[in-house]
């Protein structure tokens, strides 16, 4: 074997060994952390009489239950508000959107203290009864654990993104007892590409999370259902119809989430008080609708039982859960959107079946299949993960017929939701912050690169007051076709082209200066520069400050080199082997 082949083999062995060990350690750590998070929420729910089991035990003390229902969410809101405002640099909850930005833009996560405090705030939010989810915080917690690998200087390409994906996969695998769904979620939502280098360690981490949760701790599944199969072929049309309806419900849910955040920003009250107001709304509503408080696992399980809820109760619960979740997250509680979407979806599916069965126009296969289809058809467009949601159904139920039915609903839901809203709530939130992933990872990265990075000050320049011929004689360099005109204070006037012909030998530079066809400013990014350079004739474009000063020039060659480097970098990530 020649030396180059030996070196390559040794390098591959190093990468495989390091990534495998790293994935195993991250998988164990993230799984244990996710279990600790979930158990702390359960303990708080029991201690504060949020859980239905404890409320039943205290049925003989109705005023105690009433006080806990009303005041626990308010107290939790104030505590969470103070935690986020006093002990985090971001001064807001952190979640999956932050992980997506970090992996896609090759940026670090916010500081570790903010991440830890945000996770604590999420546990307190759910524990005190806020209408928020636990899976979003688990995703961030897994990514936070994985991000520690970057500090080890392991000399492996894309190690940070792979390590965070490992943590996310382990957390999802633990939460749902679904290792395949954890693996796919990490690639579908976080990495947004598949490569053998990432696929292998993420698989190890996800499998490790499953072993920890299912074998070592014997964690119970989210719910158990019995479904003998789809009895009628016409029901697949009903599943598709339910998918379309679910897409509309998902859009309403996401719009409420975004609108609530906008309203909260306009309120002229201290930020730490706002979650307390949301807690008040939860507490008052829960006095009449106790199923809206907290995660709502019991309501989720009862939704698959015929007769557990009337159609009116289901409709009210769906509306209340949408509004309260939007208020809680918009006003500053920490938590996710995944769990509420599951509950909204399963209640919506159950409502669809109740209406269908009530009219008795068509035979059907029972409430279970419609409830599960509704659950996944609402959740999938919210998180932008159709494959993950389909796999969650299969791994939770081990029922092929139920998975196929859910697949039909999810496909139609995503087709409609993509057209009327977008790929996911996370993508819309990121686009509002200037990170647009809708046109591809390459465009998003190019949009994050400022053209100022490529500006040069080594270019032919002239003053508007000097003779034009003197400026031409002073700038004989072949590679430049333009002379950039700036005043004594540096203000940009325009461009003098070296091909310019003038009859007056005494003409000044100002007499032959032309406006620049393309001008960049300090906010211009490479993606915008490429669009501006379409049809451009020349060597470079001036970079002009907001006060009019000429800062430098940016050549076409530098912009297109940046584009090629970015594309090659992404291809290396996507095609990298172990």
């Amino acid at each position: 074997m020649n030396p180059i082949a030996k070196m390559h083999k040794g390098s591959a062995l190093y990468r495989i060994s390091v990534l495998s060990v790293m994935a195993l350690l991250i998988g164990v750590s993230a799984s244990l952390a996710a279990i600790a998070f979930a158990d702390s929420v359960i303990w708080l729910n029991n201690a504060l009489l949020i859980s239905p089991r404890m409320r039943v035990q205290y049925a003989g003390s109705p005023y105690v239950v009433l006080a806990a229902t009303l005041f626990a969410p308010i107290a939790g809101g104030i505590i969470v508000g103070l935690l986020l405002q006093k002990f985090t640099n971001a001064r807001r909850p952190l979640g999956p959107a932050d992980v997506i930005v970090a992996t896609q833009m090759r940026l670090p996560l916010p500081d570790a203290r903010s991440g830890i405090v945000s996770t604590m705030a999420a546990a307190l939010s759910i524990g005190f009864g806020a209408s928020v989810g636990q899976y979003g915080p688990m995703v961030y917690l897994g990514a936070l654990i994985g991000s520690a690998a970057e500090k080890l200087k392991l000399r492996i390409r894309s190690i940070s993104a792979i390590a965070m994906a490992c943590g996310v996969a382990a957390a999802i695998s633990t939460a749902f007892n679904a290792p395949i769904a954890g693996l796919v979620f990490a690639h579908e939502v976080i990495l947004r590409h598949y490569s053998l280098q990432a696929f292998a360690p993420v698989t190890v981490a996800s499998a490790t999370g499953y072993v920890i949760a299912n074998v070592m701790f014997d964690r119970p599944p989210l719910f158990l259902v019995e479904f003998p199969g789809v009895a009628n072929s016409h029901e697949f049309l009903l599943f598709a119809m339910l998918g379309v309806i679910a897409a509309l419900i998902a859009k309403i849910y996401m719009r409420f989430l975004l609108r609530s955040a906008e309203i909260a920003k306009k309120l002229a009250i201290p930020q730490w008080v706002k979650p307390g107001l949301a807690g008040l709304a939860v507490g008052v509503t829960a006095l009449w609708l106790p199923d809206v408080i907290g995660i709502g696992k019991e309501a989720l399980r009862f939704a698959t039982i015929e007769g557990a809820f009337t159609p009116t109760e289901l409709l009210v619960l769906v509306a209340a859960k949408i509004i309260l979740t939007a208020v809680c997250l918009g006003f500053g509680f920490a938590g996710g959107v995944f769990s509420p979407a599951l509950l909204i979806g399963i209640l919506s599916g159950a409502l669809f079946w109740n209406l269908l069965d009530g009219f008795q126009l068509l035979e059907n296969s029972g409430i279970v299949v419609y409830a599960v289809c509704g659950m996944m058809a609402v959740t999938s467009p919210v998180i932008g993960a159709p494959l993950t949601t389909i796999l969650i159904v299969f791994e939770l139920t081990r029922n092929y017929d139920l998975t196929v039915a859910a697949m039909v609903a999810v496909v139609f839901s995503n087709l409609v939701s993509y057209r009327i809203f977008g790929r996911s709530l996370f993508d819309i939130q990121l686009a509002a912050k200037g990170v647009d992933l809708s046109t591809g990872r390459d465009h998003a990265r190019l949009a994050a690169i400022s053209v100022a990075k490529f500006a040069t000050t080594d270019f032919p320049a002239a003053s508007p007051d000097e003779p034009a011929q003197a400026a031409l004689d002073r700038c004989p360099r072949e590679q430049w076709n333009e002379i950039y005109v700036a005043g004594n204070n540096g203000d940009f006037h325009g461009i003098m082209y070296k091909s310019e012909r003038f009859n007056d030998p005494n003409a000044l530079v100002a007499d032959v200066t032309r406006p620049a066809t393309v001008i960049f400013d300090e906010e211009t990014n490479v993606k915008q520069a490429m669009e501006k350079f379409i049809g451009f004739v020349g060597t470079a474009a001036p970079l002009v400050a907001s006060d009019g000063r000429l800062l430098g020039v940016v050549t076409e060659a530098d912009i297109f080199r940046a584009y090629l480097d970015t594309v090659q970098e992404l291809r290396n990530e996507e095609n990298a082997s172990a």
Side-chain angles (χ1 to χ4, degrees):
M1 184 181 295
N2 63 55
I4 295 178
K6 287 182 179 179
M7 185 182 300
H8 178 73
K9 183 178 180 180
S11 177
L13 181 61
Y14 169 78
R15 290 198 304 271
I16 292 171
S17 302
V18 170
L19 288 174
S20 298
V21 173
M22 178 198 75
L24 183 63
L25 294 175
I26 291 175
V28 171
S29 303
S31 181
L32 292 175
I35 290 171
F37 180 94
D39 285 351
S40 67
V41 167
I42 293 171
W43 183 86
L44 282 170
N45 282 170
N46 290 335
L48 297 170
L49 306 188
I50 300 299
S51 66
R53 182 173 65 87
M54 295 303 295
R55 295 164 74 88
V56 170
Q57 291 185 15
Y58 278 80
S61 305
Y63 291 108
V64 174
V65 175
L66 185 148
T69 302
L70 183 60
F71 294 111
I74 299 173
I78 294 173
I79 294 170
V80 167
L82 289 171
L83 271 178
L84 293 174
Q85 293 304 306
K86 301 295 184 182
F87 298 103
T88 67
N89 293 326
R91 298 183 183 277
R92 62 174 177 82
L94 302 173
D98 298 286
V99 180
I100 294 171
V101 169
T103 54
Q104 295 304 310
M105 311 309 294
R106 286 197 162 187
L107 298 171
L109 288 174
D111 62 285
R113 187 184 74 171
S114 294
I116 294 170
V117 172
S118 178
T119 303
M120 290 173 54
L124 290 171
S125 295
I126 307 166
F128 277 77
S131 179
V132 295
Q134 65 178 348
Y135 301 118
M138 284 185 183
V139 165
Y140 191 87
L141 180 58
L144 182 64
I145 291 170
S147 67
E150 188 177 18
K151 299 182 175 69
L152 300 178
K153 308 296 182 186
L154 298 174
R155 296 179 289 108
I156 295 177
R157 179 189 295 142
S158 305
I159 185 68
S160 179
I162 294 172
M164 285 191 281
C166 286
V168 169
I172 292 296
S173 175
T174 300
F176 288 100
N177 279 340
I180 303 175
L183 165 67
V184 173
F185 180 86
H187 284 84
E188 190 175 22
V189 177
I190 305 301
L191 293 176
R192 303 199 175 204
H193 73 273
Y194 290 87
S195 70
L196 185 58
Q197 185 182 36
F199 191 86
V202 173
T203 301
V204 171
S206 189
T208 301
Y210 174 76
V211 170
I212 295 290
N214 197 59
V215 178
M216 292 183 62
F217 285 90
D218 194 23
R219 305 287 291 181
L222 184 64
F223 60 86
L224 294 172
V225 295
E226 292 291 336
F227 181 66
V230 179
N232 310 286
S233 58
H234 65 258
E235 288 189 88
F236 285 94
L237 293 175
L238 296 174
F239 302 149
M241 184 186 303
L242 177 56
V244 174
I245 295 171
L248 299 176
I249 294 171
K251 179 186 176 181
I252 293 170
Y253 174 48
M254 291 185 284
R255 286 296 180 197
F256 267 74
L257 288 168
L258 297 173
R259 182 58 181 158
S260 176
E262 294 172 0
I263 293 172
K265 284 182 181 178
K266 297 177 182 178
L267 292 180
I269 58 176
Q271 185 63 36
W272 63 270
V273 175
K274 294 176 183 178
L277 291 179
L280 175 62
V282 171
V284 171
T285 306
L287 293 176
W288 287 273
L289 292 172
D291 288 316
V292 301
I293 201 166
I295 298 174
K297 280 187 178 180
E298 288 72 18
L300 186 145
R301 290 164 180 160
F302 277 110
T304 60
I305 300 174
E306 294 183 18
F309 296 105
T310 68
T312 301
E313 288 173 334
L314 290 168
L315 181 62
V316 172
L317 278 173
V318 168
K321 196 65 180 178
I322 289 175
I323 295 171
L324 286 178
T325 304
V327 170
C328 285
L329 291 174
F331 278 63
F333 268 115
V337 298
F338 200 150
S339 301
L342 291 174
L343 182 56
I344 292 165
I346 203 168
L347 294 173
S348 300
L351 176 60
F352 182 87
W353 177 83
N354 271 271
L355 296 176
L356 175 69
D357 194 63
F359 286 109
Q360 296 184 342
L361 297 177
L362 296 169
E363 292 185 0
N364 63 77
S365 301
I367 191 173
V368 167
V369 64
Y370 292 93
V372 172
C373 284
M375 176 173 66
M376 293 309 174
V378 169
T379 303
S380 176
V382 172
I383 63 173
L387 288 176
T388 300
T389 51
I390 293 169
L391 288 169
I392 285 175
V393 173
F394 182 72
E395 293 191 275
L396 281 178
T397 66
R398 304 294 198 272
N399 190 303
Y400 185 77
D401 288 340
L402 193 55
T403 303
V404 173
M407 181 175 66
V408 173
V410 166
V411 166
F412 278 88
S413 174
N414 277 269
L415 284 173
V416 174
S417 179
Y418 184 82
R419 294 296 179 186
I420 64 177
F421 184 82
R423 171 170 170 163
S424 72
L425 175 66
F426 304 140
D427 281 28
I428 298 301
Q429 290 173 330
L430 292 177
K433 297 177 181 178
V435 181
D436 186 3
L437 294 167
S438 63
T439 55
R441 301 169 65 224
D442 52 347
H443 286 197
R445 287 210 184 165
L446 291 170
I449 304 172
S450 172
V451 296
K453 177 181 178 181
F454 307 101
T456 178
T457 56
D458 183 19
F459 58 88
S463 168
D465 300 326
E466 69 175 299
Q469 189 60 53
L472 288 174
D473 293 341
R474 194 178 68 254
C475 305
R477 296 193 302 177
E478 296 286 336
Q479 66 266 38
W480 294 95
N481 297 316
E482 307 94 14
I483 297 173
Y484 299 86
V485 182
N488 293 331
N489 58 355
D491 55 313
F492 179 66
H493 286 248
I495 294 175
M496 173 183 171
Y497 293 94
K498 292 172 72 173
S499 59
E500 184 78 34
R501 296 289 182 266
F502 44 89
N503 298 322
D504 184 1
N506 296 319
L508 299 177
V509 168
D511 298 329
V512 292
T513 296
R514 301 287 181 263
T517 56
V518 174
I519 297 178
F520 299 147
D521 58 36
E522 295 164 293
E523 303 299 322
T524 305
N525 58 54
V526 171
K527 182 175 180 290
Q528 294 168 334
M530 290 180 62
E531 295 169 350
K532 289 186 176 185
F533 269 145
I534 296 175
F536 174 75
V537 178
T539 307
L543 177 65
V544 181
S546 57
D547 59 1
R549 291 180 298 108
L550 178 62
L551 301 176
V553 300
V554 181
T555 67
E556 263 189 308
D558 283 335
I559 293 300
F560 285 103
R561 190 177 299 113
Y563 167 75
L564 292 173
D565 288 346
T566 299
V567 171
Q568 186 59 47
E569 185 180 275
L570 289 171
R571 297 300 172 265
N572 288 339
E573 288 180 15
E574 294 168 3
N575 299 309
S577 64

PDB file of all heavy atoms in Angstrom, residues 45 52 126 130 132 290-302 321 339 343 346:
ATOM      1  N   ASN A  45     -45.576  18.910  38.210  1.00  0.00           N
ATOM      2  CA  ASN A  45     -47.016  18.789  37.971  1.00  0.00           C
ATOM      3  C   ASN A  45     -47.729  18.137  39.151  1.00  0.00           C
ATOM      4  O   ASN A  45     -48.832  18.547  39.542  1.00  0.00           O
ATOM      5  CB  ASN A  45     -47.268  17.952  36.710  1.00  0.00           C
ATOM      6  CG  ASN A  45     -47.057  18.719  35.427  1.00  0.00           C
ATOM      7  OD1 ASN A  45     -47.048  18.151  34.347  1.00  0.00           O
ATOM      8  ND2 ASN A  45     -46.869  20.030  35.524  1.00  0.00           N
ATOM      9  N   PRO A  52     -53.753  15.470  36.444  1.00  0.00           N
ATOM     10  CA  PRO A  52     -55.101  14.995  36.779  1.00  0.00           C
ATOM     11  C   PRO A  52     -55.116  13.997  37.933  1.00  0.00           C
ATOM     12  O   PRO A  52     -56.048  13.995  38.743  1.00  0.00           O
ATOM     13  CB  PRO A  52     -55.558  14.327  35.470  1.00  0.00           C
ATOM     14  CG  PRO A  52     -54.786  15.033  34.403  1.00  0.00           C
ATOM     15  CD  PRO A  52     -53.448  15.325  35.010  1.00  0.00           C
ATOM     16  N   ILE A 126     -43.611  24.289  31.975  1.00  0.00           N
ATOM     17  CA  ILE A 126     -44.502  23.128  31.852  1.00  0.00           C
ATOM     18  C   ILE A 126     -44.921  22.625  33.227  1.00  0.00           C
ATOM     19  O   ILE A 126     -46.076  22.261  33.461  1.00  0.00           O
ATOM     20  CB  ILE A 126     -43.810  22.003  31.057  1.00  0.00           C
ATOM     21  CG1 ILE A 126     -43.283  22.536  29.729  1.00  0.00           C
ATOM     22  CG2 ILE A 126     -44.776  20.858  30.798  1.00  0.00           C
ATOM     23  CD1 ILE A 126     -42.302  21.612  29.038  1.00  0.00           C
ATOM     24  N   ALA A 130     -48.133  25.844  32.256  1.00  0.00           N
ATOM     25  CA  ALA A 130     -48.264  26.625  31.025  1.00  0.00           C
ATOM     26  C   ALA A 130     -48.609  25.713  29.852  1.00  0.00           C
ATOM     27  O   ALA A 130     -48.182  24.554  29.797  1.00  0.00           O
ATOM     28  CB  ALA A 130     -46.974  27.387  30.734  1.00  0.00           C
ATOM     29  N   VAL A 132     -47.573  24.829  26.968  1.00  0.00           N
ATOM     30  CA  VAL A 132     -46.428  24.765  26.048  1.00  0.00           C
ATOM     31  C   VAL A 132     -45.939  23.314  25.992  1.00  0.00           C
ATOM     32  O   VAL A 132     -46.368  22.479  26.777  1.00  0.00           O
ATOM     33  CB  VAL A 132     -45.274  25.688  26.504  1.00  0.00           C
ATOM     34  CG1 VAL A 132     -45.701  27.150  26.451  1.00  0.00           C
ATOM     35  CG2 VAL A 132     -44.800  25.325  27.903  1.00  0.00           C
ATOM     36  N   PRO A 290     -59.993  22.137  32.476  1.00  0.00           N
ATOM     37  CA  PRO A 290     -58.720  21.691  33.066  1.00  0.00           C
ATOM     38  C   PRO A 290     -57.802  20.968  32.079  1.00  0.00           C
ATOM     39  O   PRO A 290     -56.599  20.887  32.304  1.00  0.00           O
ATOM     40  CB  PRO A 290     -59.156  20.756  34.207  1.00  0.00           C
ATOM     41  CG  PRO A 290     -60.550  20.359  33.882  1.00  0.00           C
ATOM     42  CD  PRO A 290     -61.156  21.512  33.154  1.00  0.00           C
ATOM     43  N   ASP A 291     -58.357  20.456  30.981  1.00  0.00           N
ATOM     44  CA  ASP A 291     -57.533  19.727  30.010  1.00  0.00           C
ATOM     45  C   ASP A 291     -56.564  20.623  29.246  1.00  0.00           C
ATOM     46  O   ASP A 291     -55.649  20.122  28.589  1.00  0.00           O
ATOM     47  CB  ASP A 291     -58.424  18.988  29.002  1.00  0.00           C
ATOM     48  CG  ASP A 291     -59.129  17.789  29.623  1.00  0.00           C
ATOM     49  OD1 ASP A 291     -58.453  17.047  30.358  1.00  0.00           O
ATOM     50  OD2 ASP A 291     -60.325  17.605  29.388  1.00  0.00           O
ATOM     51  N   VAL A 292     -56.736  21.950  29.326  1.00  0.00           N
ATOM     52  CA  VAL A 292     -55.842  22.842  28.575  1.00  0.00           C
ATOM     53  C   VAL A 292     -54.553  23.116  29.334  1.00  0.00           C
ATOM     54  O   VAL A 292     -53.587  23.626  28.776  1.00  0.00           O
ATOM     55  CB  VAL A 292     -56.523  24.197  28.256  1.00  0.00           C
ATOM     56  CG1 VAL A 292     -57.780  23.985  27.439  1.00  0.00           C
ATOM     57  CG2 VAL A 292     -56.822  24.980  29.530  1.00  0.00           C
ATOM     58  N   ILE A 293     -54.525  22.778  30.611  1.00  0.00           N
ATOM     59  CA  ILE A 293     -53.364  23.109  31.430  1.00  0.00           C
ATOM     60  C   ILE A 293     -52.250  22.092  31.181  1.00  0.00           C
ATOM     61  O   ILE A 293     -52.490  20.904  31.005  1.00  0.00           O
ATOM     62  CB  ILE A 293     -53.753  23.154  32.925  1.00  0.00           C
ATOM     63  CG1 ILE A 293     -52.745  23.971  33.731  1.00  0.00           C
ATOM     64  CG2 ILE A 293     -53.914  21.764  33.499  1.00  0.00           C
ATOM     65  CD1 ILE A 293     -53.252  24.337  35.120  1.00  0.00           C
ATOM     66  N   GLY A 294     -51.014  22.559  31.126  1.00  0.00           N
ATOM     67  CA  GLY A 294     -49.869  21.683  30.952  1.00  0.00           C
ATOM     68  C   GLY A 294     -49.811  21.042  29.576  1.00  0.00           C
ATOM     69  O   GLY A 294     -50.384  21.538  28.605  1.00  0.00           O
ATOM     70  N   ILE A 295     -49.122  19.900  29.503  1.00  0.00           N
ATOM     71  CA  ILE A 295     -48.925  19.215  28.220  1.00  0.00           C
ATOM     72  C   ILE A 295     -50.212  18.584  27.721  1.00  0.00           C
ATOM     73  O   ILE A 295     -50.461  18.523  26.518  1.00  0.00           O
ATOM     74  CB  ILE A 295     -47.820  18.141  28.354  1.00  0.00           C
ATOM     75  CG1 ILE A 295     -46.498  18.794  28.727  1.00  0.00           C
ATOM     76  CG2 ILE A 295     -47.657  17.349  27.068  1.00  0.00           C
ATOM     77  CD1 ILE A 295     -45.391  17.805  29.023  1.00  0.00           C
ATOM     78  N   GLY A 296     -51.039  18.082  28.623  1.00  0.00           N
ATOM     79  CA  GLY A 296     -52.308  17.488  28.225  1.00  0.00           C
ATOM     80  C   GLY A 296     -52.201  16.049  27.749  1.00  0.00           C
ATOM     81  O   GLY A 296     -52.935  15.636  26.849  1.00  0.00           O
ATOM     82  N   LYS A 297     -51.298  15.253  28.364  1.00  0.00           N
ATOM     83  CA  LYS A 297     -51.139  13.860  27.936  1.00  0.00           C
ATOM     84  C   LYS A 297     -52.407  13.044  28.145  1.00  0.00           C
ATOM     85  O   LYS A 297     -52.749  12.175  27.332  1.00  0.00           O
ATOM     86  CB  LYS A 297     -49.987  13.208  28.706  1.00  0.00           C
ATOM     87  CG  LYS A 297     -48.607  13.548  28.172  1.00  0.00           C
ATOM     88  CD  LYS A 297     -47.540  12.733  28.879  1.00  0.00           C
ATOM     89  CE  LYS A 297     -46.159  13.041  28.313  1.00  0.00           C
ATOM     90  NZ  LYS A 297     -45.097  12.242  28.989  1.00  0.00           N
ATOM     91  N   GLU A 298     -53.109  13.314  29.221  1.00  0.00           N
ATOM     92  CA  GLU A 298     -54.323  12.547  29.495  1.00  0.00           C
ATOM     93  C   GLU A 298     -55.394  12.832  28.446  1.00  0.00           C
ATOM     94  O   GLU A 298     -56.070  11.918  27.963  1.00  0.00           O
ATOM     95  CB  GLU A 298     -54.855  12.869  30.900  1.00  0.00           C
ATOM     96  CG  GLU A 298     -54.021  12.290  32.025  1.00  0.00           C
ATOM     97  CD  GLU A 298     -52.680  13.015  32.202  1.00  0.00           C
ATOM     98  OE1 GLU A 298     -52.550  14.157  31.703  1.00  0.00           O
ATOM     99  OE2 GLU A 298     -51.781  12.435  32.820  1.00  0.00           O
ATOM    100  N   ALA A 299     -55.541  14.105  28.088  1.00  0.00           N
ATOM    101  CA  ALA A 299     -56.513  14.451  27.048  1.00  0.00           C
ATOM    102  C   ALA A 299     -56.120  13.804  25.727  1.00  0.00           C
ATOM    103  O   ALA A 299     -56.972  13.344  24.955  1.00  0.00           O
ATOM    104  CB  ALA A 299     -56.589  15.972  26.892  1.00  0.00           C
ATOM    105  N   LEU A 300     -54.815  13.756  25.455  1.00  0.00           N
ATOM    106  CA  LEU A 300     -54.330  13.138  24.226  1.00  0.00           C
ATOM    107  C   LEU A 300     -54.697  11.660  24.184  1.00  0.00           C
ATOM    108  O   LEU A 300     -55.106  11.131  23.145  1.00  0.00           O
ATOM    109  CB  LEU A 300     -52.819  13.343  24.126  1.00  0.00           C
ATOM    110  CG  LEU A 300     -52.115  12.901  22.842  1.00  0.00           C
ATOM    111  CD1 LEU A 300     -50.972  13.847  22.512  1.00  0.00           C
ATOM    112  CD2 LEU A 300     -51.583  11.480  22.964  1.00  0.00           C
ATOM    113  N   ARG A 301     -54.555  10.967  25.318  1.00  0.00           N
ATOM    114  CA  ARG A 301     -54.882   9.541  25.363  1.00  0.00           C
ATOM    115  C   ARG A 301     -56.393   9.294  25.298  1.00  0.00           C
ATOM    116  O   ARG A 301     -56.860   8.361  24.633  1.00  0.00           O
ATOM    117  CB  ARG A 301     -54.291   8.919  26.625  1.00  0.00           C
ATOM    118  CG  ARG A 301     -52.764   8.839  26.584  1.00  0.00           C
ATOM    119  CD  ARG A 301     -52.147   8.603  27.938  1.00  0.00           C
ATOM    120  NE  ARG A 301     -50.682   8.529  27.840  1.00  0.00           N
ATOM    121  CZ  ARG A 301     -49.852   8.709  28.854  1.00  0.00           C
ATOM    122  NH1 ARG A 301     -50.335   8.976  30.063  1.00  0.00           N
ATOM    123  NH2 ARG A 301     -48.556   8.624  28.682  1.00  0.00           N
ATOM    124  N   PHE A 302     -57.166  10.128  25.968  1.00  0.00           N
ATOM    125  CA  PHE A 302     -58.618   9.959  25.961  1.00  0.00           C
ATOM    126  C   PHE A 302     -59.226  10.278  24.593  1.00  0.00           C
ATOM    127  O   PHE A 302     -60.321   9.799  24.281  1.00  0.00           O
ATOM    128  CB  PHE A 302     -59.269  10.840  27.032  1.00  0.00           C
ATOM    129  CG  PHE A 302     -59.269  10.228  28.400  1.00  0.00           C
ATOM    130  CD1 PHE A 302     -58.468  10.745  29.414  1.00  0.00           C
ATOM    131  CD2 PHE A 302     -60.063   9.122  28.684  1.00  0.00           C
ATOM    132  CE1 PHE A 302     -58.465  10.170  30.677  1.00  0.00           C
ATOM    133  CE2 PHE A 302     -60.069   8.550  29.942  1.00  0.00           C
ATOM    134  CZ  PHE A 302     -59.260   9.065  30.950  1.00  0.00           C
ATOM    135  N   LYS A 321     -56.862  25.473  23.217  1.00  0.00           N
ATOM    136  CA  LYS A 321     -55.449  25.067  23.200  1.00  0.00           C
ATOM    137  C   LYS A 321     -54.654  25.914  22.212  1.00  0.00           C
ATOM    138  O   LYS A 321     -53.510  26.311  22.491  1.00  0.00           O
ATOM    139  CB  LYS A 321     -55.334  23.589  22.829  1.00  0.00           C
ATOM    140  CG  LYS A 321     -53.968  22.980  23.151  1.00  0.00           C
ATOM    141  CD  LYS A 321     -53.697  22.951  24.641  1.00  0.00           C
ATOM    142  CE  LYS A 321     -52.348  22.340  24.973  1.00  0.00           C
ATOM    143  NZ  LYS A 321     -52.063  22.361  26.420  1.00  0.00           N
ATOM    144  N   SER A 339     -45.637  19.507  21.294  1.00  0.00           N
ATOM    145  CA  SER A 339     -46.650  18.839  22.138  1.00  0.00           C
ATOM    146  C   SER A 339     -48.037  19.441  21.973  1.00  0.00           C
ATOM    147  O   SER A 339     -49.022  18.699  21.815  1.00  0.00           O
ATOM    148  CB  SER A 339     -46.226  18.879  23.608  1.00  0.00           C
ATOM    149  OG  SER A 339     -44.995  18.242  23.799  1.00  0.00           O
ATOM    150  N   LEU A 343     -51.597  17.573  20.543  1.00  0.00           N
ATOM    151  CA  LEU A 343     -52.907  17.570  21.203  1.00  0.00           C
ATOM    152  C   LEU A 343     -53.970  18.223  20.322  1.00  0.00           C
ATOM    153  O   LEU A 343     -55.077  17.697  20.177  1.00  0.00           O
ATOM    154  CB  LEU A 343     -52.815  18.294  22.547  1.00  0.00           C
ATOM    155  CG  LEU A 343     -54.102  18.317  23.379  1.00  0.00           C
ATOM    156  CD1 LEU A 343     -54.618  16.906  23.623  1.00  0.00           C
ATOM    157  CD2 LEU A 343     -53.870  19.037  24.705  1.00  0.00           C
ATOM    158  N   ILE A 346     -54.776  15.676  17.496  1.00  0.00           N
ATOM    159  CA  ILE A 346     -55.536  14.481  17.845  1.00  0.00           C
ATOM    160  C   ILE A 346     -56.980  14.835  18.216  1.00  0.00           C
ATOM    161  O   ILE A 346     -57.914  14.084  17.903  1.00  0.00           O
ATOM    162  CB  ILE A 346     -54.831  13.711  18.989  1.00  0.00           C
ATOM    163  CG1 ILE A 346     -55.262  12.245  18.976  1.00  0.00           C
ATOM    164  CG2 ILE A 346     -55.094  14.341  20.349  1.00  0.00           C
ATOM    165  CD1 ILE A 346     -54.411  11.351  19.858  1.00  0.00           C
TER     166      ILE A 346
END
